[in-house]
Amino acid sequence: MIERCKQALAKLALEPEWEAKFEPNSYGFRPGRSCHDAREAIFNAIRSKPKYVFDADIKGAFDNISQEALLAKLHTSPLLRKAVKGWLKAGVMEGCTFSPTEVGTPQGGVISPLLMNVALHGMEQAIIEGYSKSHAVEKPLLVRYADDFVIFHSDLKELEKVAERVTQWLEQMGLKLSPTKTRTTHTLTPYQGQVGFDFLGFTVRQFSVGKSHTGKGTNGKALGFKTLIKPSKEAIKRHTLTIKEQLHKFRSASQEQLIKELNPIIWGWAAYYKTSVASAVFKRCDDILWKQLARWAKARHPDKGTQWMTKRYWHQVEKRKWVFATPTGAELRMHSKTAIQRYIKVKGTASPYDGNMLYWSQRLKSHPLMHETKARLLQQQQGKCRWCELHFQDGDTLEVDHIDHNRSNNDLRNKMLLHRHCHDERHAKLAETEQIRKRLADAGINIQ
């Protein structure tokens, strides 16, 4: 635990420096950046022109990074370099067996993701080396999230040259591409029997369409195709299997407890995909969920009829019929309740360490995984904590506090958003004030 704390301190020292250096299309394990930024960068790369795609995955990135090359690239103070080298060379103890670590970074280490980003820094610059700086010349574009990356170019031969260059560049860091997960495809037309690609749980593909459905370029002209990014089939399958496992696990639990377990799973999955073309997918997931719930009810009451089960578990809530809910008001959240939201990609090389606190606090409210109530409060409070009046930052733990201390009063006007430590401080001061008021009351002094 002490070593993890030391790694966290080293990360706090190294991260601001490297955030100022990192390339614009690197998105994994970086503050203020997410999978949605990578997805939006991909959309921007292909929205106006179909392109070939080199879809690559680095084989065992954390386990195979050359430690000597990494330390040379880190280029930090001797003291910090010595500490990082110690963590890299520490080895692994399993029972009574010690295994030295000659390559790679510590698995699960606090500083490991940052070290991997440092190791892979420069890849984006390497692929455009030798290309003209003129905007008239098409250059390959790389989008990387951790050890997964894609490279785009409309010319297949150019893409193959770039792929070879990347492979050689990775060898300098002791890394290789995974042959089973690396492939070349095209976004619009089939190439080697495949079209489109999956990335971070999304399926990215273009479709030829007529003039009434076609996408438009930046100049407003019809393109003849449309770029669609949807939840991948594999992601849908995993999600439905997760729900199935939960239904099996809680087959003897009450309906209210089942709803309590399923709601966070459904909300989280739908929130992740709500920035994509997911309306039809959400409806299909709701259909599958309805059938799964029907089987759950049938397994609980094998001797009861369908009409009895529907009256027991499905109710009408306001004008909505067939709602899986309890008489006490607990209601299962459906996927289609999550509205589609367009996402704005982070600006270029912007970083939370660049001092633009207003920009980063405003981005928080539009993050797909930000709860609706917190997003509204962020907008009302202009991205500031009501207690300390400082801007919220990426990574801060945000908590909602009731102004009148009445948890039953959930009116938005009775809520405010605070940092977790500010929330604790506020309640500590309130408790202290209450004790003083009580002592004064015992002495015959009443303060309102």
Side-chain angles (χ1 to χ4, degrees), residues 251 293-302 309:
R251 60 189 180 276
L293 291 171
R295 286 194 290 270
W296 174 83
K298 184 67 177 174
R300 285 172 62 88
H301 308 284
M309 286 187 292

Side-chain angles (χ1 to χ4, degrees), residues 70-210:
L70 173 59
L71 288 169
K73 201 171 186 179
L74 199 59
H75 194 64
T76 186
S77 68
L79 185 64
L80 203 51
R81 185 183 187 279
K82 184 179 178 181
V84 172
K85 185 178 180 180
W87 293 322
L88 293 174
K89 302 288 186 183
V92 178
M93 195 78 176
E94 293 184 11
C96 297
T97 307
F98 175 78
S99 303
T101 50
E102 300 299 330
V103 293
T105 58
Q107 284 285 357
V110 176
I111 201 171
S112 294
L114 174 62
L115 294 178
M116 191 195 67
N117 274 331
V118 171
L120 297 179
H121 173 65
M123 191 191 301
E124 195 172 335
Q125 186 62 37
I127 69 167
I128 61 172
E129 207 170 283
Y131 282 87
S132 170
K133 293 183 179 179
S134 171
H135 292 291
V137 177
E138 182 186 353
K139 292 177 276 294
L141 179 71
L142 178 143
V143 177
R144 180 174 67 84
Y145 189 93
D147 58 343
D148 293 332
F149 65 91
V150 285
I151 304 174
F152 301 96
H153 202 285
S154 59
D155 189 307
L156 179 59
K157 291 183 179 179
E158 287 294 322
L159 187 67
E160 289 172 346
K161 289 178 185 177
V162 170
E164 183 62 31
R165 194 182 300 169
V166 165
T167 304
Q168 293 173 1
W169 186 89
L170 287 170
E171 286 175 358
Q172 299 172 11
M173 298 302 301
L175 299 171
K176 294 180 180 179
L177 296 177
S178 171
T180 57
K181 296 181 180 179
T182 301
R183 65 192 182 109
T184 302
T185 182
H186 194 267
T187 57
L188 179 62
T189 56
Y191 176 74
Q192 296 180 346
Q194 296 177 324
V195 60
F197 63 98
D198 288 355
F199 194 71
L200 302 176
F202 296 95
T203 294
V204 183
R205 188 178 170 185
Q206 293 170 328
F207 297 86
S208 298
V209 292

Side-chain angles (χ1 to χ4, degrees), residues 354-367:
D354 59 16
N356 193 350
M357 306 304 295
L358 181 61
Y359 171 76
W360 290 103
S361 63
Q362 288 176 341
R363 276 188 66 80
L364 283 176
K365 71 176 186 294
S366 59
H367 194 282

